[in-house]
Amino acid sequence: MAQKNLLPLILLGLLRDTKKTGYELKKDFETEIGEFWSVQHSQIYLELKRLTELKEISSTKGFFGSKIEKTYYEITPLGEERFEKWEKSFQNELAVNKDEFVLKLYFIKDKKDGRLQQLIKNQYDLHLEKLAHLNLRMKEVFSKIDKEQNYGHYLILNHAIKREEEYTKWLSDSLENINK
């Protein structure tokens, strides 16, 4: 089944509250959205162009507070309508998780395979690092704003923390089992 292109909807959602430059949108992906969605920098600008052509966003160029010309994007009523329609819709299937690590595990047949321990240890280290990052983000973000005012964001971050805690436990248990 073909994957839906959700990038335009993400951009519309990010532009709902305030005008933003392409750079600011890129930063949103690096700091917030990137916890659960990834995108290439170049894709953002291509999609901004498409959304402008569809008249779902508009852009304003000018010198805003500095001597550098910037382009600010903002959502239009047409974009707002599209976003609200999507926001009220429901998925009728689960997303497929494409995970190269899990795929590699699938093809390892023997518990004594020399690659197994290092493969799992590498993932364990990566997930521990991600867990530390998520805990730091939770502390940084929700020490500045009330979680009740941005509850969806809080739920996503909390979910990511719980997922990483469970994943690192599974990896740790797996390493222990291999060493028995």
Side-chain angles (χ1 to χ4, degrees), residues 24-154:
E24 289 169 329
L25 291 164
K26 175 180 135 342
K27 283 298 192 193
D28 285 343
F29 275 94
E30 290 173 5
T31 59
E32 305 302 333
I33 306 295
E35 297 302 337
F36 55 91
W37 204 270
S38 64
V39 67
Q40 297 293 322
H41 177 76
S42 60
Q43 289 176 283
I44 293 171
Y45 288 98
L46 284 172
E47 202 57 57
L48 288 170
K49 183 179 182 208
R50 282 188 204 109
L51 289 169
T52 303
E53 289 168 358
L54 292 170
K55 301 194 181 327
E56 293 179 352
I57 63 172
S58 61
S59 63
T60 309
K61 287 187 181 192
F63 296 94
F64 296 94
S66 69
K67 295 183 182 198
I68 299 171
E69 184 177 58
K70 296 180 181 181
T71 302
Y72 280 85
Y73 299 92
E74 64 183 314
I75 195 167
T76 65
L78 190 61
E80 188 73 46
E81 183 182 317
R82 178 181 180 191
F83 184 81
E84 285 177 9
K85 183 179 177 186
W86 169 77
E87 197 174 33
K88 291 176 183 174
S89 69
F90 294 94
Q91 289 178 241
N92 57 4
E93 59 189 41
L94 292 173
V96 175
N97 182 14
K98 296 179 181 177
D99 186 330
E100 186 177 352
F101 165 69
V102 172
L103 186 61
K104 286 180 180 182
L105 279 182
Y106 177 79
F107 288 111
I108 292 179
K109 304 295 182 200
D110 187 351
K111 181 179 175 180
K112 295 183 186 339
D113 187 314
R115 300 168 295 172
L116 189 57
Q117 185 164 349
Q118 188 55 44
L119 184 66
I120 293 173
K121 175 72 170 98
N122 176 262
Q123 283 295 300
Y124 178 75
D125 292 343
L126 289 171
H127 283 274
L128 267 184
E129 188 177 313
K130 182 158 188 168
L131 178 58
H133 168 75
L134 291 168
N135 280 317
L136 181 62
R137 289 296 302 149
M138 179 69 90
K139 190 176 180 180
E140 286 175 352
V141 171
F142 293 102
S143 68
K144 296 175 189 168
I145 60 172
D146 180 18
K147 72 179 177 190
E148 301 298 323
Q149 299 300 314
N150 207 344
Y151 200 64
H153 186 177
Y154 168 77

Side-chain angles (χ1 to χ4, degrees), residues 4-15:
K4 281 196 284 189
N5 179 12
L6 296 175
L7 180 57
L9 294 159
I10 296 169
L11 293 171
L12 291 172
L14 291 171
L15 292 171

